[in-house]
């Protein structure tokens, strides 16, 4: 499982992506790529770029890709940019979008 940091903005994106790529390479190639985003508190569109690159690598290596613990802000940003269907499974997107109004995070 790949863990996202609490802050993932354009300032941290390059280093975070490099660390996630290294962790991805060390995981078994048979397992799905699972990204845990529950700790994200500060983010911008760079977080989406990092996730899209990890998804691209997973697909290139023939692995499934899942983002868990999606914060409401990340779900809203993904929807705004039209990449929610690429990054978020439908049940994850629904739960995260429902949390936008309450300020809560849903897995």
């Amino acid at each position: 499982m790949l863990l996202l940091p609490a802050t993932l903005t354009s300032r941290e994106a390059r280093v975070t992506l490099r660390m996630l790529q290294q962790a991805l390479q060390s995981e078994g190639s048979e397992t799905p790529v699972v990204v845990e985003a529950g700790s994200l508190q500060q983010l911008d569109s760079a977080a989406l770029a990092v996730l899209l690159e990890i998804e691209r690598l997973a697909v290139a290596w023939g692995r499934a890709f899942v983002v868990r613990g999606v914060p409401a802000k990340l779900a809203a940003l993904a929807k705004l940019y039209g990449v929610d269907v690429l990054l978020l499974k439908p049940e994850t997107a629904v739960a995260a979008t429902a949390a936008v109004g309450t300020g809560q995070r849903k897995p």
Side-chain angles (χ1 to χ4, degrees):
M1 180 180 326
L2 305 176
L3 302 174
L4 295 183
T7 302
L8 182 47
T9 64
S10 57
R11 178 174 278 156
E12 299 83 19
R14 187 174 305 201
V15 171
T16 300
L17 180 59
R18 191 175 313 123
M19 288 188 303
L20 292 173
Q21 287 172 326
Q22 289 171 352
L24 184 60
Q25 290 174 342
S26 68
E27 285 187 343
S29 62
E30 301 293 319
T31 61
V33 175
V34 178
V35 178
E36 176 55 54
S39 63
L40 268 177
Q41 296 174 9
Q42 292 183 305
L43 61 110
D44 63 16
S45 60
L48 295 176
V50 168
L51 288 171
L52 287 168
E53 179 61 14
I54 295 300
E55 180 191 34
R56 186 193 69 75
L57 290 171
V59 169
W61 294 338
R63 295 172 65 185
F65 177 82
V66 178
V67 181
R68 294 192 331 198
V70 177
K73 185 176 178 181
L74 180 62
L77 196 58
K79 184 172 182 159
L80 176 68
Y81 282 95
V83 296
D84 52 325
V85 295
L86 297 174
L87 293 177
L88 309 174
K89 290 198 171 290
E91 64 274 5
T92 304
V94 169
T97 303
V100 170
T102 63
Q104 299 176 355
R105 289 185 290 173
K106 301 262 179 168

